[in-house]
Amino acid sequence: MVKCIGVLTSGGDAPGMNAAVRAVARTCLNKGIEVYGVKLGYKGLHDGEFIKFDRHSTRNIINIGGTMLKSARFPEFKNPEVRKEAIEKMKEVGMEALVVIGGDGSYNGALKLTEMGINCIGIPGTIDNDIPDTDHTIGFDTALNTIVDALDKLRDTSSSHQRCTILEVMGRRCGDLAINAGIADGAEIVITSEIGYDENKIIETLKASKASDKKHAIVVITEHITDVHELAKKVEAATGFETRANVLGHMQRGGRPSARDRVLASRMGVYAVELLEAGKGGLCVSEVNGQIKGLPITEVLGHKRETDFSIYEDAIKLR
């Protein structure tokens, strides 16, 4: 029977992380399990930056973005000796198991600790929605709504000035944010790494839009594909559309979590504690067809998340 559990947030922050921390803390306390918050991710685990939670520690955080526990990059955690030092810090306060909220890099740390005898459960906290074998990650829905809100505003000014607007969004290797935002805001073109980047096709599509007497156009593109400002210059020169590029950036990570992210985070936090209480480790919590499940981290990290291209095909039909 586990008597003391820690919880940390690692990697990039995502709206809903606080709701997950709250769920872990409240579930532990309701079960009579001691619970500690670990500040600054794996760095705080190594340095012993722990907060013992009580009923009041997580009050009024469910609706706040970011992470109350803060986050930090700590590549040194890949070193087995550094992990051993972190385990010693955990033992000093009686911490026997850990809930890790973050992305694939955070999952790797959780797996390594489990292999060293500390049961860990991962919870997918990343706006990119790039974790395999879960329908949604915590933060994705909020980030998507932030993008749609920005596109709504850009559409207004794009229409007023009869412009083409190019918006670069986050997502790393996953195009879910771009594709879903493109559908939600009626974009003419969506570009992701999975779809591929064909500059000539982009220009030809926008030329056709201009020729059909469309007064404005929206292009949504995932980051790290091309320089969107250079693309805007090429589009303007080739199509006659006055074109502006915008990079939404880290604004997508902030803000109050949506109701969906709060509910998802809460459900996942509860289930993570239940898995540790059952003596399980090396698993991550996933949402599969609306059900919350625990899957082996080794399986999840063993392949790339597949983008649902039927969504993209729907977007094309709605042009």
Side-chain angles (χ1 to χ4, degrees):
M1 180 70 178
V2 65
K3 296 179 180 178
C4 183
I5 291 174
V7 56
L8 63 79
T9 54
S10 176
D13 61 302
M17 280 184 163
N18 283 329
V21 170
R22 174 184 180 272
V24 170
R26 296 288 177 93
T27 304
C28 284
L29 293 169
N30 288 339
K31 291 176 175 291
I33 300 171
E34 283 190 324
V35 57
Y36 283 87
V38 180
K39 297 178 68 176
L40 297 172
Y42 287 119
K43 183 178 188 303
L45 192 71
H46 175 265
D47 296 345
E49 297 262 0
F50 305 146
I51 309 166
K52 188 171 184 179
F53 282 149
D54 58 25
R55 292 293 303 177
H56 305 295
S57 301
T58 55
R59 179 188 291 173
N60 298 328
I61 67 167
I62 193 170
N63 61 325
I64 297 173
T67 164
M68 66 166 291
L69 292 174
K70 313 305 179 189
S71 186
R73 306 291 181 185
F74 191 55
E76 295 86 348
F77 204 71
K78 295 175 182 177
N79 185 330
E81 292 303 315
V82 172
R83 293 197 297 273
K84 285 180 184 177
E85 291 167 0
I87 290 171
E88 289 304 312
K89 289 291 184 181
M90 294 174 70
K91 288 179 178 178
E92 287 177 10
V93 296
M95 197 187 303
E96 303 166 300
L98 189 67
V99 177
V100 174
I101 306 165
D104 51 7
S106 305
Y107 278 17
N108 273 307
L111 181 60
K112 293 297 184 184
L113 283 175
T114 300
E115 291 170 350
M116 296 173 74
I118 301 295
N119 278 345
C120 295
I121 301 296
I123 293 179
T126 167
I127 68 167
D128 298 329
N129 210 40
D130 61 348
I131 301 294
D133 301 323
T134 185
D135 295 340
H136 298 100
T137 58
I138 296 168
F140 171 73
D141 186 68
T142 306
L144 177 59
N145 281 296
T146 297
I147 295 168
V148 170
D149 181 61
L151 279 171
D152 286 346
K153 292 178 171 66
L154 287 168
R155 175 181 286 278
D156 290 345
T157 189
S158 182
S159 176
S160 297
H161 292 272
Q162 301 184 70
R163 287 176 180 158
C164 172
T165 293
I166 301 172
L167 181 66
E168 179 185 286
V169 301
M170 285 183 167
R172 290 202 303 171
R173 301 175 300 276
C174 180
D176 283 21
L177 282 171
I179 290 171
N180 284 273
I183 293 173
D185 220 80
E188 276 68 33
I189 299 173
V190 176
I191 306 162
T192 73
S193 59
E194 303 98 329
I195 293 167
Y197 179 69
D198 186 333
E199 197 170 277
N200 291 330
K201 187 175 180 180
I202 293 165
I203 289 172
E204 289 306 312
T205 300
L206 291 171
K207 275 184 179 178
S209 291
K210 183 74 171 175
S212 67
D213 203 33
K214 288 201 72 170
K215 302 302 181 186
H216 69 279
I218 300 288
V219 177
V220 184
I221 181 170
T222 304
E223 62 189 344
H224 306 315
I225 290 178
T226 191
D227 183 326
V228 291
H229 298 286
E230 288 301 314
L231 176 61
K233 291 176 184 177
K234 292 177 181 179
V235 167
E236 183 165 324
T239 67
F241 259 130
E242 183 182 356
T243 306
R244 297 288 183 271
N246 298 265
V247 178
L248 198 52
H250 285 82
M251 186 182 296
Q252 293 159 89
R253 281 193 187 169
R256 292 183 178 273
S258 66
R260 195 190 192 293
D261 274 329
R262 297 182 203 187
V263 171
L264 180 63
S266 298
R267 294 178 69 200
M268 287 183 164
V270 170
Y271 194 67
V273 174
E274 291 174 348
L275 289 173
L276 290 175
E277 188 183 28
K280 296 180 180 180
L283 303 178
C284 56
V285 181
S286 297
E287 180 197 35
V288 182
N289 297 324
Q291 300 297 310
I292 304 299
K293 299 183 177 182
L295 303 175
I297 292 175
T298 50
E299 287 185 14
V300 171
L301 294 181
H303 62 281
K304 185 178 181 292
R305 187 181 189 280
E306 295 295 329
T307 297
D308 185 354
F309 279 102
S310 66
I311 299 175
Y312 175 63
E313 290 161 4
D314 289 343
I316 294 173
K317 294 171 188 173
L318 293 169
R319 281 179 182 168

